[in-house]
Amino acid sequence: MTNPSSPWFTPQPFPYQTQGALAALTGHPIIADEPGLGKTIQALLAIALTQPARTLITCPPALTTNWTYETRRSGILTHALPPDSSLTTITPKTKNPTLPNTGIVITSDTLLTARPTLAKNIYNWNPQLLIADEAHRYKNPHTKRTHTLLHLAHNTPRVICLTGTPITSSPLDILPLLKMTRTRSHFPQNFTDTYCDRNYFGDLIPNPKTLPDLYMRLTDHAWTRRTKADVLKDLPTKARHTHHITLTPTQLKDAYKELQPRLAQAVQENDTLALIASLRRLTGLAKIPEATRWILEHQEGTRRPLIVWAIHTSVINGLQKALHKAAPHLKTVTYNGQTTSKERDKIVQAFQAGDLDILIAQITAAGVGLTLTRASEALFVETEWTPAQVVQAEDRIHRISQTHPVTITTLLAENTLDEAIHRVLKEKVATLDQLTPGSDHHVTDTASNKRVTDLLEVIAESFHAQLKKGIDK
């Protein structure tokens, strides 16, 4: 059997990740680590260990791109799975998909629910392993999505559920996952009456007297759940991750509407620099929905403060508006070039004192000179062209007085200007490796087979074509 810790597996797993994969295969099939601890890596390790002929990975629509990227990067297709195994990613654009004889199929739970024929074909494909990511999406037993996943799980010998927020409000949230993973028998038959009471209005509420028993049974028979504090000894002082997303046509069109005049003028005047600048802003605006989802999941799963980095004021304000609408209870503030010195001091003091949950900051305005060490995690919704600017922003939390490992996540939208920016960063990092070896400037782990000039030309030509077709229609 392949050793999951051998050098071919990328990235090299931490010891707790190997332990989590082994636990998922030996009686604890719910990986419930808090967000940011690498549940994807643990699931891929589990695939490497079991070497199934057919694996189905389901996730929210926005995560199919990241799963595809991480699966290819891991090396399991060539080093762990049976010969001739292939990877098939099924998206809404995929018409009449052909399922591989052996290999991995990645698709969204939304698509499986919307296309019963697809769900039936995958059911008949007889997967040997089902990886269900963001499994808290199935907490409501009455939804079509939950019924679809339970049906697929029933026909799959081994099921692993991944979720950073396994229980959000009620013990009943975990019940569908126990059924999917066949661990329901370890809990009382009258699950609802045991772990819930009814309030004055007849609504089911958690029973605090029996919750310790539920936690004990979950820990002993169903899940593996670690927090960042639990695995401090395994974590580096700074860890960087690139999270790949695919923007929907609606997200792109909504962002385009705001920038239409500027983009049209840049194309008409054949001003490549202006077009690139506008496309960069458009990409940032289009990422707001996915950034909001990521931030809310982080907050719900960890309750820890977060620094969110961006470049454009419109992106910063858009994020704040989206977060306020989705979670008005979160204390969120922005920090950009228009923030006065007096306001800046108040913001920093409030954040360090614990009076703020989220600080959305502009790289050029807040990337130097500030100490924000109450946070140990940061999200880059947008990034800069030079590694030094990125590192300077990272070091607002990775500096003296920081007592926890720092985790940096960067959102990369496929088929956008993000790819060119990360290619530029990669090339500059290669240069810095030769001039200042050993320095901390590896701000991206993403490479492209195309030269930067080629990427920019392709992006510009593609958008020019979109304008002619009338993307706003």
Side-chain angles (χ1 to χ4, degrees):
M1 182 169 289
T2 305
N3 179 0
S5 296
S6 59
W8 61 262
F9 192 95
T10 302
Q12 185 73 19
F14 297 119
Y16 77 85
Q17 292 175 327
T18 302
Q19 294 164 6
L22 290 169
L25 300 173
T26 56
H28 294 73
I30 302 174
I31 302 178
D33 291 340
E34 71 175 16
L37 294 186
K39 293 183 286 294
T40 301
I41 297 302
Q42 295 177 61
L44 293 172
L45 279 170
I47 296 174
L49 283 165
T50 54
Q51 302 180 358
R54 295 173 300 281
T55 299
L56 171 64
I57 298 173
T58 67
C59 59
L63 301 186
T64 55
T65 301
N66 197 62
W67 269 103
T68 302
Y69 174 82
E70 293 293 347
T71 301
R72 292 194 184 280
R73 184 170 75 134
S74 70
I76 62 175
L77 286 168
T78 53
H79 290 79
L81 297 186
D84 301 323
S85 293
S86 60
L87 174 62
T88 300
T89 301
I90 303 174
T91 70
K93 295 182 179 179
T94 309
K95 305 299 181 183
N96 302 317
T98 300
L99 304 179
N101 293 326
T102 59
I104 299 173
V105 170
I106 299 173
T107 193
S108 72
D109 49 21
T110 303
L111 196 60
L112 288 170
T113 305
R115 296 185 184 177
T117 300
L118 173 63
K120 181 179 179 181
N121 290 341
I122 290 180
Y123 181 94
N124 293 332
W125 184 57
N126 293 317
Q128 297 175 344
L129 172 62
L130 167 61
I131 305 291
D133 193 16
E134 304 290 348
H136 51 272
R137 289 160 62 88
Y138 316 129
K139 65 182 180 181
N140 186 341
H142 305 296
T143 65
K144 290 183 178 179
R145 181 163 56 200
T146 301
H147 288 169
T148 299
L149 266 293
L150 282 170
H151 184 62
L152 285 168
H154 180 73
N155 191 46
T156 307
R158 188 187 297 277
V159 178
I160 298 176
C161 289
L162 314 180
T163 172
T165 53
I167 299 176
T168 56
S169 59
S170 167
L172 299 180
D173 293 346
I174 198 70
L175 196 51
L177 276 60
L178 300 179
K179 294 178 180 178
M180 287 179 65
T181 56
R182 301 179 179 86
T183 53
R184 173 67 177 84
S185 60
H186 297 291
F187 298 81
Q189 186 171 359
N190 54 341
F191 188 98
T192 301
D193 293 337
T194 301
Y195 299 119
C196 295
D197 279 334
R198 291 193 180 273
N199 62 16
Y200 176 81
F201 301 100
D203 299 322
L204 289 169
I205 58 174
N207 181 351
K209 295 181 180 179
T210 57
L211 293 185
D213 176 78
L214 175 60
Y215 176 79
M216 180 191 70
R217 291 174 186 265
L218 287 169
T219 302
D220 290 346
H221 303 293
W223 74 21
T224 299
R225 179 162 176 82
R226 282 80 53 94
T227 66
K228 199 174 183 180
D230 294 331
V231 297
L232 283 178
K233 63 181 177 62
D234 289 339
L235 295 175
T237 58
K238 183 194 285 188
R240 296 183 176 105
H241 309 284
T242 304
H243 185 74
H244 295 250
I245 60 174
T246 298
L247 302 178
T248 67
T250 299
Q251 289 166 347
L252 287 168
K253 287 180 180 179
D254 288 345
Y256 167 76
K257 288 177 182 178
E258 186 170 333
L259 296 173
Q260 181 181 12
R262 186 176 302 178
L263 284 163
Q265 181 180 354
V267 171
Q268 184 178 5
E269 296 176 357
N270 199 26
D271 188 340
T272 302
L273 291 178
L275 177 58
I276 291 172
S278 296
L279 288 176
R280 190 183 186 197
R281 187 190 298 267
L282 182 147
T283 301
L285 290 169
K287 285 196 283 186
I288 287 175
E290 287 308 314
T292 302
R293 184 199 61 77
W294 191 98
I295 293 167
L296 292 177
E297 180 187 340
H298 175 275
Q299 286 296 308
E300 190 171 3
T302 71
R303 309 295 182 188
R304 289 197 297 267
L306 180 70
I307 307 294
V308 180
W309 292 103
I311 296 166
H312 300 97
T313 302
S314 56
V315 175
I316 292 171
N317 293 339
L319 267 172
Q320 186 186 39
K321 182 178 179 181
L323 286 169
H324 180 72
K325 181 178 180 180
H329 63 282
L330 291 177
K331 298 175 183 177
T332 304
V333 72
T334 63
Y335 186 123
N336 57 40
Q338 298 172 340
T339 306
T340 66
S341 298
K342 187 176 181 179
E343 289 173 331
R344 295 180 184 192
D345 291 341
K346 286 184 177 180
I347 289 171
V348 172
Q349 290 172 10
F351 186 83
Q352 290 293 84
D355 297 330
L356 298 174
D357 298 309
I358 301 167
L359 173 59
I360 309 173
Q362 191 173 42
I363 295 174
T364 53
V368 295
L370 301 183
T371 296
L372 301 168
T373 48
R374 176 172 159 259
S376 61
E377 286 140 319
L379 173 70
F380 281 80
V381 178
E382 300 180 284
T383 194
E384 280 289 359
W385 294 94
T386 59
Q389 289 177 292
V390 179
V391 172
Q392 285 174 344
E394 292 176 350
D395 286 349
R396 298 314 93 214
I397 62 176
H398 185 254
R399 58 197 294 109
I400 294 173
S401 77
Q402 178 57 264
T403 58
H404 295 90
V406 166
T407 305
I408 309 293
T409 302
T410 302
L411 291 187
L412 189 156
E414 300 282 344
N415 301 314
T416 70
L417 195 65
D418 275 357
E419 292 184 331
I421 293 172
H422 280 258
R423 177 62 179 176
V424 170
L425 287 171
K426 194 74 173 180
E427 292 180 354
K428 290 183 178 180
V429 165
T431 300
L432 292 172
D433 276 345
Q434 307 218 12
L435 298 176
T436 56
S439 297
D440 178 29
H441 46 235
H442 286 260
V443 296
T444 181
D445 59 2
T446 302
S448 169
N449 293 326
K450 295 179 180 178
R451 294 172 61 249
V452 175
T453 51
D454 294 337
L455 279 169
L456 293 177
E457 287 177 6
V458 169
I459 292 169
E461 289 177 3
S462 173
F463 198 81
H464 196 158
Q466 288 179 317
L467 277 176
K468 284 186 174 181
K469 291 179 181 178
I471 188 172
D472 55 329
K473 296 179 181 180

mmCIF file of all heavy atoms in Angstrom, residues 1 45 55-56 64 95 120 215 236 265 276 306 399 408 410 432:
data_model
loop_
_atom_site.group_PDB
_atom_site.id
_atom_site.type_symbol
_atom_site.label_atom_id
_atom_site.label_comp_id
_atom_site.label_asym_id
_atom_site.label_seq_id
_atom_site.Cartn_x
_atom_site.Cartn_y
_atom_site.Cartn_z
ATOM 1 N N MET A 1 0.843 -1.198 0.000
ATOM 2 C CA MET A 1 0.000 0.000 0.000
ATOM 3 C C MET A 1 0.875 1.243 0.000
ATOM 4 O O MET A 1 1.918 1.294 0.647
ATOM 5 C CB MET A 1 -0.916 -0.006 1.224
ATOM 6 C CG MET A 1 -1.876 1.192 1.277
ATOM 7 S SD MET A 1 -3.138 1.005 2.550
ATOM 8 C CE MET A 1 -4.130 -0.277 1.809
ATOM 9 N N LEU A 45 -5.564 12.042 1.400
ATOM 10 C CA LEU A 45 -4.745 11.006 2.024
ATOM 11 C C LEU A 45 -5.550 9.726 2.217
ATOM 12 O O LEU A 45 -5.034 8.617 2.015
ATOM 13 C CB LEU A 45 -4.226 11.498 3.372
ATOM 14 C CG LEU A 45 -2.999 12.408 3.375
ATOM 15 C CD1 LEU A 45 -2.782 12.991 4.763
ATOM 16 C CD2 LEU A 45 -1.766 11.651 2.925
ATOM 17 N N THR A 55 -14.020 6.877 -6.988
ATOM 18 C CA THR A 55 -14.267 7.809 -5.885
ATOM 19 C C THR A 55 -15.128 8.953 -6.372
ATOM 20 O O THR A 55 -14.877 9.522 -7.441
ATOM 21 C CB THR A 55 -12.946 8.380 -5.333
ATOM 22 O OG1 THR A 55 -12.136 7.312 -4.833
ATOM 23 C CG2 THR A 55 -13.212 9.373 -4.212
ATOM 24 N N LEU A 56 -16.148 9.308 -5.600
ATOM 25 C CA LEU A 56 -16.985 10.474 -5.880
ATOM 26 C C LEU A 56 -16.709 11.529 -4.838
ATOM 27 O O LEU A 56 -16.751 11.253 -3.627
ATOM 28 C CB LEU A 56 -18.470 10.085 -5.853
ATOM 29 C CG LEU A 56 -19.476 11.247 -5.911
ATOM 30 C CD1 LEU A 56 -19.360 11.987 -7.252
ATOM 31 C CD2 LEU A 56 -20.899 10.743 -5.698
ATOM 32 N N THR A 64 -15.593 23.162 -6.644
ATOM 33 C CA THR A 64 -15.161 22.107 -7.575
ATOM 34 C C THR A 64 -13.792 22.426 -8.169
ATOM 35 O O THR A 64 -12.976 21.522 -8.378
ATOM 36 C CB THR A 64 -16.184 21.915 -8.706
ATOM 37 O OG1 THR A 64 -16.412 23.168 -9.367
ATOM 38 C CG2 THR A 64 -17.511 21.387 -8.173
ATOM 39 N N LYS A 95 -21.877 18.607 -20.701
ATOM 40 C CA LYS A 95 -23.032 17.940 -21.308
ATOM 41 C C LYS A 95 -22.730 16.453 -21.515
ATOM 42 O O LYS A 95 -21.689 16.092 -22.049
ATOM 43 C CB LYS A 95 -23.360 18.581 -22.665
ATOM 44 C CG LYS A 95 -23.595 20.088 -22.597
ATOM 45 C CD LYS A 95 -24.764 20.452 -21.697
ATOM 46 C CE LYS A 95 -24.993 21.964 -21.676
ATOM 47 N NZ LYS A 95 -26.084 22.330 -20.743
ATOM 48 N N LYS A 120 -28.433 9.562 -10.907
ATOM 49 C CA LYS A 120 -28.713 8.147 -11.151
ATOM 50 C C LYS A 120 -27.536 7.461 -11.831
ATOM 51 O O LYS A 120 -27.152 6.333 -11.467
ATOM 52 C CB LYS A 120 -29.968 8.009 -12.020
ATOM 53 C CG LYS A 120 -30.360 6.566 -12.313
ATOM 54 C CD LYS A 120 -31.617 6.500 -13.161
ATOM 55 C CE LYS A 120 -31.994 5.051 -13.466
ATOM 56 N NZ LYS A 120 -33.224 4.979 -14.311
ATOM 57 N N TYR A 215 -21.529 14.616 22.990
ATOM 58 C CA TYR A 215 -20.138 14.930 22.648
ATOM 59 C C TYR A 215 -19.236 13.702 22.824
ATOM 60 O O TYR A 215 -18.380 13.421 21.977
ATOM 61 C CB TYR A 215 -19.637 16.074 23.523
ATOM 62 C CG TYR A 215 -18.182 16.401 23.288
ATOM 63 C CD1 TYR A 215 -17.786 17.149 22.190
ATOM 64 C CD2 TYR A 215 -17.203 15.953 24.168
ATOM 65 C CE1 TYR A 215 -16.447 17.433 21.958
ATOM 66 C CE2 TYR A 215 -15.861 16.229 23.956
ATOM 67 C CZ TYR A 215 -15.489 16.969 22.852
ATOM 68 O OH TYR A 215 -14.166 17.236 22.629
ATOM 69 N N PRO A 236 3.549 25.236 11.240
ATOM 70 C CA PRO A 236 4.670 26.173 11.081
ATOM 71 C C PRO A 236 4.270 27.551 11.584
ATOM 72 O O PRO A 236 3.087 27.822 11.816
ATOM 73 C CB PRO A 236 4.888 26.189 9.562
ATOM 74 C CG PRO A 236 3.530 25.896 8.999
ATOM 75 C CD PRO A 236 2.889 24.937 9.971
ATOM 76 N N GLN A 265 -14.304 51.950 -22.791
ATOM 77 C CA GLN A 265 -13.383 52.994 -23.243
ATOM 78 C C GLN A 265 -11.974 52.428 -23.443
ATOM 79 O O GLN A 265 -11.294 52.753 -24.427
ATOM 80 C CB GLN A 265 -13.338 54.131 -22.226
ATOM 81 C CG GLN A 265 -12.421 55.282 -22.641
ATOM 82 C CD GLN A 265 -12.404 56.405 -21.612
ATOM 83 O OE1 GLN A 265 -13.150 56.380 -20.644
ATOM 84 N NE2 GLN A 265 -11.555 57.395 -21.828
ATOM 85 N N ILE A 276 -6.242 46.252 -18.306
ATOM 86 C CA ILE A 276 -5.771 45.353 -17.246
ATOM 87 C C ILE A 276 -6.180 45.881 -15.877
ATOM 88 O O ILE A 276 -6.630 45.119 -15.015
ATOM 89 C CB ILE A 276 -4.242 45.178 -17.336
ATOM 90 C CG1 ILE A 276 -3.889 44.370 -18.599
ATOM 91 C CG2 ILE A 276 -3.691 44.485 -16.097
ATOM 92 C CD1 ILE A 276 -2.407 44.306 -18.889
ATOM 93 N N LEU A 306 -10.296 38.111 12.172
ATOM 94 C CA LEU A 306 -9.762 37.889 10.832
ATOM 95 C C LEU A 306 -9.399 39.216 10.188
ATOM 96 O O LEU A 306 -10.138 40.198 10.311
ATOM 97 C CB LEU A 306 -10.814 37.171 9.969
ATOM 98 C CG LEU A 306 -10.440 36.845 8.524
ATOM 99 C CD1 LEU A 306 -9.390 35.739 8.483
ATOM 100 C CD2 LEU A 306 -11.681 36.414 7.746
ATOM 101 N N ARG A 399 4.386 38.830 13.514
ATOM 102 C CA ARG A 399 5.423 39.710 14.030
ATOM 103 C C ARG A 399 5.578 39.482 15.530
ATOM 104 O O ARG A 399 4.854 38.683 16.121
ATOM 105 C CB ARG A 399 5.080 41.176 13.731
ATOM 106 C CG ARG A 399 3.770 41.637 14.298
ATOM 107 C CD ARG A 399 3.252 42.926 13.673
ATOM 108 N NE ARG A 399 4.084 44.083 13.951
ATOM 109 C CZ ARG A 399 4.845 44.680 13.027
ATOM 110 N NH1 ARG A 399 4.881 44.213 11.790
ATOM 111 N NH2 ARG A 399 5.573 45.735 13.329
ATOM 112 N N ILE A 408 -2.318 32.144 6.177
ATOM 113 C CA ILE A 408 -2.648 33.103 5.122
ATOM 114 C C ILE A 408 -3.349 32.358 3.987
ATOM 115 O O ILE A 408 -2.815 31.385 3.455
ATOM 116 C CB ILE A 408 -1.376 33.778 4.560
ATOM 117 C CG1 ILE A 408 -0.509 34.347 5.688
ATOM 118 C CG2 ILE A 408 -1.751 34.834 3.542
ATOM 119 C CD1 ILE A 408 -1.112 35.493 6.430
ATOM 120 N N THR A 410 -5.231 32.880 0.169
ATOM 121 C CA THR A 410 -5.425 33.774 -0.966
ATOM 122 C C THR A 410 -6.470 33.183 -1.913
ATOM 123 O O THR A 410 -6.352 32.019 -2.314
ATOM 124 C CB THR A 410 -4.111 33.983 -1.740
ATOM 125 O OG1 THR A 410 -3.133 34.515 -0.852
ATOM 126 C CG2 THR A 410 -4.312 34.949 -2.893
ATOM 127 N N LEU A 432 13.999 36.381 -6.666
ATOM 128 C CA LEU A 432 14.403 36.664 -5.296
ATOM 129 C C LEU A 432 15.101 35.475 -4.652
ATOM 130 O O LEU A 432 15.985 35.650 -3.798
ATOM 131 C CB LEU A 432 13.179 37.070 -4.471
ATOM 132 C CG LEU A 432 12.552 38.422 -4.838
ATOM 133 C CD1 LEU A 432 11.244 38.616 -4.093
ATOM 134 C CD2 LEU A 432 13.513 39.560 -4.520
#
